[in-house]
Amino acid sequence: DQALSLASQQAGPIHLLIADRLLPKMSGQQLAGSLATTHPDLKALFLLDAAEEASSESQLELSGRACLRLPFTPTMLLTKVREVLDS
């Protein structure tokens, strides 16, 4: 809810959403879908818990969604963010 509220107040473009794949009220993919209606150029990077199955990561990647498995280093995050923004 907070992310949707903040996004609705954003006058300019939102270039990147970084969100957990699993959130309390909706999935990260649902959040990205909701935000994409008002921010069509939005790109998303989903964070996967280390315990999530590899199939979750494969499904995200097959659907064209970028993901990064926890734990990760700052360098890994920066590299993935650059990759997503450049895609």
Side-chain angles (χ1 to χ4, degrees):
D1 291 338
Q2 186 178 11
L4 292 172
S5 175
L6 289 170
S8 70
Q9 298 169 29
Q10 176 65 30
I14 297 176
H15 300 285
L16 180 65
L17 167 69
I18 299 175
D20 284 342
R21 188 180 76 84
L22 302 174
L23 298 169
K25 293 186 179 181
M26 67 174 67
S27 73
Q29 291 172 281
Q30 290 170 320
L31 175 60
S34 293
L35 292 174
T37 60
T38 54
H39 298 86
D41 295 328
L42 175 77
K43 296 184 179 187
L45 172 58
F46 298 106
L47 306 179
L48 300 173
D49 186 280
E52 288 187 68
E53 294 182 20
S55 62
S56 297
E57 187 172 357
S58 296
Q59 288 173 353
L60 282 171
E61 289 174 343
L62 287 173
S63 68
R65 301 289 193 171
C67 56
L68 185 61
R69 186 172 294 282
L70 290 121
F72 52 82
T73 65
T75 300
M76 291 167 66
L77 175 61
L78 289 172
T79 300
K80 194 65 169 184
V81 164
R82 182 77 275 156
E83 177 185 311
V84 172
L85 289 174
D86 289 345
S87 68

